[in-house]
Amino acid sequence: MGALLGWTFVLFLLLSQLSALQSFLPLTIQQLTLPFFDTTIFDTTTSSPDDRLPIINLLLFLEGICFIEVGRIAIGQLKGNLVLGVILHLIRMSCLLIVLPAGLTSPSDTKVMISTLVLYSWALTEVGRYPMYLFPLSAMARYVRLVLPIVTFPVGAFAEAVGAYWHLKQLLLVGADDATRSSFHWVQVGLLIMVVGINSLLGPTMAYPALLKKGLPVLLGKKDKSKSTRKKKD
């Protein structure tokens, strides 16, 4: 329940930044939500690499909960695809620690938009995912859980790949002649290559077809033939 509330709050924070909605929000709400995205606190001449927007710190906390859930899958306490869970959250952590801090504070509106799309895709996916675990018998919760990723997954995967590619290009170009690059630099390069590669190659060919296989029958209102066959035999 705590994770659902956390991701719902993230989605609320994102929606509160829409100019079309800000005029309808009370001043108190605006004062509460604005600091999460306040880029004016960053001075490129004095900020350290450890400085992060509050929204990033909140998301890191929520991702910590997700990693606990992956651990529970590993020991058999929860059902789920362990390999997919590890890869998914490793990609998210790479984006949170490398891509999004730069993207959300970038002077480029395009980079801010791509980073914001990533956040929307994550928040919508998680808000749609948790109700099925809380209410396993709810047909509506199952419908949302299986159908929503059909939209959020490709949008999020594309935005993650684009953001990772931009940052990877910057890492490789800046100081290209510097032979004393730290090992951390190459760790970042490796993680970003992983994000671009998985999202560009494995996402469209393996992960998304699997989502469609589960979600399309539900979206189109088709019944599970195997279940109906078992009921008839019983």
Side-chain angles (χ1 to χ4, degrees):
M1 178 63 77
L4 175 58
L5 292 175
W7 284 107
T8 302
F9 182 59
V10 170
L11 182 57
F12 169 73
L13 290 173
L14 292 169
L15 293 173
S16 71
Q17 302 307 301
L18 296 174
S19 56
L21 296 179
Q22 283 183 343
S23 59
F24 297 99
L25 294 176
L27 182 59
T28 304
I29 298 297
Q30 295 182 36
Q31 292 175 341
L32 171 66
T33 59
L34 185 59
F36 282 89
F37 299 91
D38 187 8
T39 59
T40 60
I41 62 175
F42 288 89
D43 182 349
T44 55
T45 61
T46 59
S47 295
S48 71
D50 295 329
D51 289 336
R52 288 188 293 263
L53 289 172
I55 186 67
I56 298 294
N57 290 326
L58 173 58
L59 289 166
L60 286 171
F61 173 76
L62 293 174
E63 273 302 297
I65 297 177
C66 290
F67 269 105
I68 292 174
E69 293 173 350
V70 171
R72 294 182 64 189
I73 292 174
I75 62 177
Q77 290 185 353
L78 289 177
K79 293 182 179 180
N81 188 320
L82 178 60
V83 175
L84 179 61
V86 171
I87 293 175
L88 170 67
H89 293 295
L90 185 57
I91 288 174
R92 284 192 181 180
M93 288 299 291
S94 299
C95 289
L96 277 173
L97 294 173
I98 305 172
V99 179
L100 296 181
L104 290 172
T105 57
S106 172
S108 168
D109 290 339
T110 303
K111 290 185 178 181
V112 173
M113 181 190 69
I114 288 294
S115 298
T116 304
L117 279 178
V118 171
L119 298 185
Y120 267 110
S121 70
W122 293 358
L124 287 169
T125 298
E126 297 302 325
V127 169
R129 180 171 73 94
Y130 280 104
M132 194 178 83
Y133 296 112
L134 297 173
F135 310 102
L137 300 180
S138 170
M140 178 58 70
R142 182 175 183 273
Y143 181 89
V144 173
R145 168 68 181 87
L146 295 177
V147 171
L148 190 59
I150 294 177
V151 178
T152 60
F153 178 85
V155 173
F158 172 77
E160 289 168 357
V162 171
Y165 172 76
W166 283 340
H167 202 81
L168 174 63
K169 185 178 178 181
Q170 181 180 355
L171 283 178
L172 294 177
L173 290 179
V174 175
D177 298 328
D178 187 359
T180 61
R181 286 173 171 175
S182 67
S183 57
F184 179 66
H185 170 89
W186 294 112
V187 169
Q188 292 184 78
V189 169
L191 289 172
L192 293 176
I193 290 175
M194 175 200 69
V195 174
V196 174
I198 291 177
N199 286 28
S200 301
L201 300 176
L202 300 183
T205 59
M206 296 180 65
Y208 195 56
L211 290 176
L212 290 176
K213 185 177 180 180
K214 291 182 178 180
L216 276 182
V218 177
L219 179 64
L220 300 176
K222 295 181 179 180
K223 295 182 179 180
D224 190 331
K225 292 182 179 180
S226 61
K227 288 184 178 180
S228 61
T229 302
R230 285 197 298 268
K231 288 182 179 179
K232 288 180 180 179
K233 288 182 179 180
D234 294 340

